[in-house]
Amino acid sequence: MQKIIMLVLFSINTLSLIGGNPHKEVKSNIEEVTVFLNGAQVQRSTTANLPEGQTKVIFKKLSPNINMKSLLLSCKEDLQILDVKHKTYQTEQEDNLEDLEASVKEGILQLRNELEDLDLQLTLIREEQVILEQEKRFIKDVKLTHKNGEQEVSALAQQLDFYQEKYISLTKRLFELNKEQQKVSLVKRGKERTLNEVNQQHNVSKKNAIFSQIEVLIKTEKALTANFDLSYLVNDARWIPSYDIRTEGIDKPLEFTYKSEIYQNTGIDWKDVKLTVSTANPYQNNNRPILSPWYLDFYVPRVYAQQTGKNYNRSNMMSNSYAAPRNDIPAEMPQNQDGASMQNNVSVVETDLNLAFELDWKHSILSDGQSHTLVLKEEEVAAEYTYHSVPKLDCKSYLIAKVKDWGRLNLLNGNANLFSEGTYVGQTLINPQLVSEYLLLSLGIDEKMNVKRIKLETGASSSFFGSTKTQTFTYETTLHNNKNKVVKMELLDQVPISNNGEIVVELVKSDGAEYVADIGKLLWNLELQPNEIRKVQFKYSVKYPKDKQLGN
């Protein structure tokens, strides 16, 4: 019978049942990782031979960033879990020598051994220097006494000769040791420099590593082989969606490339694991909002009394405001190892709430905090192309791709690299949260579509007996299609809007533009033949009191 145990640990302060039982350290392997928009779920597996009775099984070398609320341990065999403890620990220095070629590894180890020998020599030299310096101080502190008489004077002279000779001998030896120390230190610095160069060349890192371990007290009725599956959520991992959008011409579909930029700094490398990229976010607040009554009352200024010896900041004064309790799960926080992006065959699993991309072959993502880019899928998307220009602001033509029924594309917010006929033209932002029938993608500026806008005339008239004055304004825009194909053009302009009853604005001429009076918008939907030049004009009048002057 399969037992699945949810292990939720807020803090462990109770007396453990584990002490005094046999220990069994097990090495577990990462089999699968699901990367979320924030965080990642790691699934491990291992096998352990358990004796009859109680055994403490220790899962070591786990990420120090485990979210213990998410810990899930499952086992198909019949056993009972009595207690669980979680702790972090620091190991001695570790490096990645095992990943290097044998000759490189041997050279590094030899340099390290030579440096250890040099350190030992320097230690012995320093110890001898300390002893000699103590002897010299002893000689300096000796106080010689003598009595009258020939024998006493002779003995004193012998003592003086001895101490003098000994002091000189100590000084010479200290000088020799200083020279030897300098020589050994010079050799050591050279070997350290060589070792650092080799380490940098082969990306050898050496540092103290911090890990987690899970200690589980298990009781079995008989000796058995247990197959464990361990899964948990880790922080410091995420993925960011990005896209490549290519067009080979306005008569061809768009080519969408979905990419994921995966980051992880969990302290554990993911080596040869089955990888899934999910649009879920396990750290988001899933509690639905509750609408409370909104009470309206008169505003009464609040006066805060000044109290000596206390500082009142904004947080002090708003102590009566409500703040939702924070979850103790902290909010946030792959091109492959050689820097190239990797393309996969991907299975897309869609649920009611999320989307998951299951990559069909194993990947390795290092715990380096760097971007690792994976291609999720490529798709051709039908699009309607049109040029868009707002010459009042910028006399340039922007190629716009309009994608209908874009909800089926399952897009997320992200940057998109734009390529037109094999040339990189810039970036745009994919924002699928906009409520629109079409997804609009700006593909860049086309220099072959020329636009020019000029002001033709400004007329003014006023009545001798009247109190008003009327001005007219005329603008002309010239479009030139330098391409050898028919193109569609959206030309946008505007007339002013009056927010004063004494000012009356009237559109006199529009050359067939769609006019939205509420916002003063003029829109021409044009179709230009190859090499066609077309001009459009619009004219409007403004009537206002002749004793006043227009602004703007």
Side-chain angles (χ1 to χ4, degrees):
M1 177 180 67
Q2 182 174 6
K3 294 182 178 290
I4 300 180
I5 304 95
M6 281 294 285
L7 308 177
V8 181
L9 303 180
F10 291 95
S11 62
I12 301 178
N13 298 316
T14 57
L15 179 63
S16 173
L17 301 175
I18 291 180
N21 294 288
H23 290 50
K24 183 75 175 181
E25 292 189 2
V26 295
K27 180 181 179 182
S28 59
N29 298 316
I30 299 178
E31 303 291 344
E32 184 174 350
V33 176
T34 300
V35 186
F36 302 109
L37 293 173
N38 187 7
Q41 179 172 299
V42 176
Q43 298 185 22
R44 290 175 170 266
S45 65
T46 189
T47 301
N49 295 319
L50 303 179
E52 179 183 351
Q54 295 185 8
T55 306
K56 181 174 72 171
V57 178
I58 303 175
F59 298 86
K60 296 183 69 70
K61 283 200 172 182
L62 308 179
S63 170
N65 301 322
I66 291 178
N67 173 8
M68 291 304 296
K69 285 189 174 184
S70 67
L71 190 65
L72 178 66
L73 178 67
S74 64
C75 180
K76 296 180 180 179
E77 287 68 38
D78 190 11
L79 50 81
Q80 183 180 3
I81 292 182
L82 303 179
D83 192 17
V84 177
K85 293 182 67 176
H86 167 252
K87 64 176 64 174
T88 58
Y89 64 96
Q90 182 171 301
T91 65
E92 296 180 354
Q93 292 183 330
E94 294 193 352
D95 49 43
N96 55 342
L97 285 183
E98 299 301 326
D99 301 331
L100 302 178
E101 296 180 1
S103 59
V104 177
K105 177 181 176 181
E106 182 179 351
I108 292 177
L109 292 176
Q110 181 178 350
L111 284 170
R112 290 182 180 178
N113 291 333
E114 292 174 354
L115 284 170
E116 289 179 359
D117 292 340
L118 293 171
D119 283 333
L120 179 59
Q121 292 181 42
L122 290 173
T123 300
L124 294 176
I125 289 173
R126 285 192 291 269
E127 291 294 332
E128 187 176 354
Q129 287 173 328
V130 170
I131 294 173
L132 296 179
E133 290 290 352
Q134 290 176 347
E135 290 184 15
K136 288 182 67 175
R137 284 196 298 271
F138 174 79
I139 293 175
K140 286 182 178 181
D141 295 338
V142 170
K143 295 182 180 180
L144 300 178
T145 59
H146 69 281
K147 300 178 180 179
N148 293 330
E150 185 176 345
Q151 292 183 348
E152 286 76 7
V153 172
S154 176
L156 178 61
Q158 290 179 359
Q159 292 181 23
L160 288 173
D161 291 340
F162 170 78
Y163 286 123
Q164 183 180 10
E165 181 180 350
K166 184 64 175 178
Y167 192 88
I168 294 174
S169 174
L170 292 174
T171 302
K172 288 182 178 179
R173 179 56 183 161
L174 282 171
F175 180 75
E176 293 173 355
L177 287 175
N178 288 335
K179 290 181 64 177
E180 186 177 355
Q181 185 182 41
Q182 293 175 3
K183 181 179 178 180
V184 175
S185 297
L186 182 63
V187 174
K188 180 186 176 184
R189 286 195 295 271
K191 291 190 179 295
E192 286 177 336
R193 186 164 51 250
T194 302
L195 181 60
N196 289 335
E197 291 173 354
V198 175
N199 288 340
Q200 292 179 2
Q201 181 180 357
H202 298 281
N203 295 321
V204 177
S205 58
K206 195 173 183 182
K207 59 183 180 180
N208 290 329
I210 299 176
F211 297 100
S212 288
Q213 72 179 34
I214 305 296
E215 300 177 357
V216 185
L217 182 61
I218 295 176
K219 180 180 180 181
T220 58
E221 298 298 331
K222 60 181 180 179
L224 53 81
T225 299
N227 297 286
F228 293 105
D229 291 317
L230 180 68
S231 71
Y232 48 84
L233 194 68
V234 290
N235 308 320
D236 291 335
R238 61 192 172 102
W239 75 282
I240 298 175
S242 63
Y243 308 90
D244 288 342
I245 301 176
R246 293 177 170 83
T247 176
E248 297 299 327
I250 60 177
D251 55 348
K252 295 180 174 60
L254 290 174
E255 297 177 6
F256 258 80
T257 300
Y258 296 68
K259 299 188 298 183
S260 63
E261 298 179 13
I262 298 178
Y263 302 81
Q264 76 107 338
N265 197 23
T266 63
I268 302 293
D269 292 338
W270 303 338
K271 294 184 178 181
D272 295 326
V273 300
K274 185 179 185 300
L275 198 61
T276 299
V277 177
S278 172
T279 62
N281 183 359
Y283 290 95
Q284 70 183 359
N285 183 3
N286 292 314
N287 295 321
R288 66 181 181 88
I290 304 297
L291 194 62
S292 300
W294 180 9
Y295 297 104
L296 192 63
D297 203 346
F298 293 110
Y299 170 72
V300 178
R302 183 178 298 179
V303 178
Y304 298 96
Q306 184 176 0
Q307 298 186 23
T308 304
K310 294 185 178 180
N311 294 325
Y312 287 86
N313 55 28
R314 183 174 180 85
S315 61
N316 297 138
M317 295 192 301
M318 296 189 65
S319 61
N320 62 337
S321 64
Y322 171 77
R326 295 182 59 182
N327 196 307
D328 61 353
I329 303 176
E332 265 265 335
M333 138 41 337
Q335 75 200 26
N336 56 16
Q337 298 180 24
D338 59 7
S341 61
M342 299 177 284
Q343 185 172 352
N344 308 275
N345 292 324
V346 180
S347 301
V348 181
V349 179
E350 184 174 0
T351 65
D352 290 336
L353 299 177
N354 303 301
L355 197 68
F357 300 89
E358 297 181 352
L359 309 185
D360 67 336
W361 51 284
K362 294 185 176 181
H363 294 266
S364 295
I365 307 293
L366 300 181
S367 177
D368 54 11
Q370 302 297 316
S371 171
H372 301 260
T373 302
L374 301 180
V375 174
L376 299 180
K377 68 172 182 175
E378 295 178 337
E379 184 175 355
E380 287 191 350
V381 178
E384 175 185 341
Y385 296 91
T386 186
Y387 286 93
H388 183 86
S389 182
V390 188
K392 180 183 179 181
L393 303 178
D394 187 0
C395 288
K396 291 184 175 62
S397 296
Y398 295 81
L399 180 60
I400 304 296
K402 297 181 177 181
V403 179
K404 197 172 184 179
D405 299 329
W406 54 271
R408 63 180 179 80
L409 300 178
N410 296 310
L411 300 176
L412 298 173
N413 283 332
N415 290 321
N417 300 314
L418 303 176
F419 299 86
S420 178
E421 299 181 5
T423 301
Y424 175 76
V425 296
Q427 277 193 339
T428 190
L429 178 66
I430 301 293
N431 184 7
Q433 296 179 351
L434 296 176
V435 180
S436 175
E437 180 181 1
Y438 289 93
L439 176 66
L440 301 181
L441 301 174
S442 180
L443 302 179
I445 299 171
D446 192 335
E447 300 293 346
K448 292 185 178 181
M449 294 295 299
N450 297 333
V451 181
K452 183 179 180 181
R453 181 182 188 264
I454 60 174
K455 185 177 182 181
L456 291 182
E457 63 180 67
T458 299
S461 63
S462 60
S463 172
F464 180 77
F465 296 103
S467 61
T468 61
K469 177 180 179 180
T470 301
Q471 280 188 285
T472 58
F473 303 85
T474 305
Y475 293 88
E476 180 180 84
T477 301
T478 302
L479 308 172
H480 187 187
N481 176 17
N482 287 308
K483 306 175 77 68
N484 59 1
K485 59 184 68 177
V486 178
V487 299
K488 294 180 179 179
M489 167 67 78
E490 291 180 350
L491 181 64
L492 194 63
D493 218 312
Q494 65 180 164
V495 299
I497 306 168
S498 172
N499 61 358
N500 189 314
E502 295 184 289
I503 302 175
V504 178
V505 179
E506 181 181 356
L507 179 63
V508 179
K509 179 182 179 181
S510 65
D511 268 4
E514 297 178 11
Y515 178 49
V516 183
D518 292 343
I519 58 175
K521 174 183 172 182
L522 292 169
L523 174 62
W524 290 267
N525 287 301
L526 307 174
E527 187 172 276
L528 302 179
Q529 299 299 315
N531 298 310
E532 179 184 356
I533 299 176
R534 186 178 303 187
K535 297 182 179 181
V536 296
Q537 294 182 2
F538 71 95
K539 181 178 181 180
Y540 64 90
S541 64
V542 182
K543 185 168 68 172
Y544 57 94
K546 63 182 180 181
D547 60 342
K548 295 184 179 181
Q549 185 177 355
L550 288 176
N552 301 328

